[in-house]
Amino acid sequence: MSTNRKAAIGFIFVTLLIDVTGFGVIIPVMPKLIEDLLGTHDVSKASQYGGWLTFAYAFMQFLCAPILGNLSDKYGRRPVLLFSLFGFGIDYIFLSFAPTIWWLFVGRLIAGITGASFTTASAYIADISTPENRAQNFGMVGAAFGLGFILGPMIGGLLGEFGARIPFFVAAGLALTNWLYGYFVLPESLSKENRRSFEWRRANPLGSLMQLKKYPAVGELVASLVLVYIAAHAVQSNWSFFNIEKFHWTPKMIGISLGLVGLLVGGVQGGLVRVINPKIGNEKSVYFGLALYALGLLLFAFASESWMMFVFLIPYCLGGICGPALQAIISGHVPANEQGELQGALTSLMSVTSIIGPIVMTGSFAYFTGPNKPFYFPGISFLIGAVCMLIAAVLAYHALKSEATTESTAEVK
């Protein structure tokens, strides 16, 4: 049984690695493709369309992730994961041949509808994990993301020299190869006795979120996770703007820094989590991780030299021990036959933060660097992110301590 579980973790890791690499391949050339389809070299205009493309994907994922999560609770993880991977392949084919900008929107809508690979993979990991290794196994999701985020943009940047559409063909090939790999290799993780019937009431975004009320401690823990996601957009959405504005970085320098981020994230979540978490436990991992996240963001906000941004990535990325531990705690409060529903709800929340986070972070950056600024402070988004992390720590502490008090009282009785 232990050998089968380790093999399944390996399958999921490879599946997610190929998935993220395929996504990363298109990052360097997406602006160029948008410019070509619009017939312009106006980067500002292209970025506006890029923002709406992100919105289209995130919004559809918000609506559909709970449906796919609930379907995986009824029919198993494997068919839903294969459906998701096939959908990504079709998306990239649409993007490869897109004759107009609107075809890009069709492709992104398809990807948003079927984009449940991380949702289902997270439920899969929950199925095959024990309470002792759940956080370490969730860390492999972060490791796959980190490594894929290193490989993808590097491959995409090289392929982009041969044309803006070439990386999309490669991404389509990777996604469909991944689908075939899963079809022939990936086993089912959810036993039939742990499955449940599908209910539309629980499959809509609001319905799945309302189900979280059944588990008292989960509410504040989920709110904490949402704040972490929003705070992360201080880096994800604003990193390039900030460093171009303050330190005049070139695209090459930005690419190197993102490669370092991927390397550090992969090392922390794929290696360090597996060492640290068993020693200090999930609760302390959450507290230390959030503190390191907040410290890193605070240091970014007030950095005065370019080299500092590279050094300050270390405490920020070390904060990555928080995510798997927090997700493991939340997952541990939910029965086996509702893990898909839980992960679908969490993915919907993440999609909402992908709409809210960039607007807050880039908007605040634009305001404090624009002509009507009250004072010049390009690091404002990092400061907002640090505050979000500290609030997340307070919510997590309150939830976990309240739960511990309740359990102690029950034992006394």
Side-chain angles (χ1 to χ4, degrees), residues 23 29 41 60 77 161 282 302 311 366 372:
F23 177 77
V29 292
H41 293 291
M60 291 308 297
R77 316 303 183 199
E161 296 294 318
N282 287 331
F302 295 99
V311 175
N372 299 319

Side-chain angles (χ1 to χ4, degrees), residues 4 12 56-57 70 72 239 244 275 289 305 315 332 346 348 380 410 413:
N4 290 339
I12 286 294
Y57 173 80
N70 276 266
S72 79
W239 183 259
I244 291 171
V275 176
E305 299 290 340
L346 293 180
S348 290
I380 183 63
K413 290 182 177 179

Side-chain angles (χ1 to χ4, degrees), residues 4-24:
N4 290 339
R5 284 178 173 176
K6 288 181 180 179
I9 289 292
F11 296 151
I12 286 294
F13 177 80
V14 172
T15 296
L16 292 178
L17 175 61
I18 297 174
D19 196 16
V20 176
T21 301
F23 177 77

Side-chain angles (χ1 to χ4, degrees), residues 99-132:
T100 67
I101 190 70
W102 304 114
W103 277 58
L104 294 189
F105 280 94
V106 173
R108 289 284 80 188
L109 289 172
I110 292 172
I113 292 170
T114 64
S117 57
F118 272 82
T119 300
T120 314
S122 296
Y124 192 109
I125 289 172
D127 293 337
I128 63 176
S129 298
T130 63
E132 292 76 23

Side-chain angles (χ1 to χ4, degrees), residues 363-377:
S364 60
F365 170 82
Y367 180 68
F368 279 90
T369 57
N372 299 319
K373 58 185 178 294
F375 55 90
Y376 182 73
F377 185 35

Side-chain angles (χ1 to χ4, degrees), residues 61-80:
Q61 190 175 61
F62 169 71
L63 294 178
C64 296
I67 297 174
L68 293 179
N70 276 266
L71 286 172
S72 79
D73 283 339
K74 177 177 175 60
Y75 296 107
R77 316 303 183 199
R78 186 175 182 275
V80 174

Side-chain angles (χ1 to χ4, degrees), residues 22-244:
F23 177 77
V25 160
I26 70 174
I27 292 176
V29 292
M30 179 63 92
K32 173 62 176 171
L33 180 59
I34 294 174
E35 286 181 348
D36 289 348
L37 293 176
L38 292 175
T40 181
H41 293 291
D42 186 346
V43 178
S44 177
K45 185 177 180 180
S47 69
Q48 291 178 328
Y49 277 88
W52 281 109
L53 286 166
T54 301
F55 172 86
Y57 173 80
F59 183 70
M60 291 308 297
Q61 190 175 61
F62 169 71
L63 294 178
C64 296
I67 297 174
L68 293 179
N70 276 266
L71 286 172
S72 79
D73 283 339
K74 177 177 175 60
Y75 296 107
R77 316 303 183 199
R78 186 175 182 275
V80 174
L81 185 57
L82 292 177
F83 172 73
S84 174
L85 295 174
F86 186 77
F88 270 121
I90 299 301
D91 166 44
Y92 294 137
I93 290 173
F94 261 85
L95 301 183
S96 301
F97 291 102
T100 67
I101 190 70
W102 304 114
W103 277 58
L104 294 189
F105 280 94
V106 173
R108 289 284 80 188
L109 289 172
I110 292 172
I113 292 170
T114 64
S117 57
F118 272 82
T119 300
T120 314
S122 296
Y124 192 109
I125 289 172
D127 293 337
I128 63 176
S129 298
T130 63
E132 292 76 23
N133 66 12
R134 183 174 279 123
Q136 299 96 297
N137 289 342
F138 274 125
M140 295 305 293
V141 176
F145 184 87
L147 185 57
F149 198 71
I150 297 170
L151 297 174
M154 289 174 57
I155 295 171
L158 292 172
L159 293 175
E161 296 294 318
F162 302 98
R165 295 177 186 264
I166 298 299
F168 292 92
F169 286 109
V170 173
L174 284 171
L176 294 176
T177 300
N178 203 7
W179 172 69
L180 286 173
Y181 169 81
Y183 182 82
F184 288 108
V185 177
L186 192 68
E188 179 55 63
S189 65
L190 186 65
S191 60
K192 290 187 177 181
E193 59 267 23
N194 283 330
R195 299 184 187 184
R196 63 175 178 82
S197 60
F198 180 87
E199 300 175 46
W200 279 108
R201 176 176 56 85
R202 300 168 68 169
N204 67 77
L206 296 179
S208 64
L209 296 181
M210 293 299 289
Q211 290 297 317
L212 296 175
K213 288 186 175 182
K214 295 189 299 184
Y215 314 103
V218 166
E220 284 182 302
L221 293 174
V222 169
S224 178
L225 193 61
V226 167
L227 286 171
V228 170
Y229 287 147
I230 291 175
H233 277 284
V235 174
Q236 294 173 14
S237 301
N238 208 51
W239 183 259
S240 300
F241 298 115
F242 173 83
N243 286 298
I244 291 171

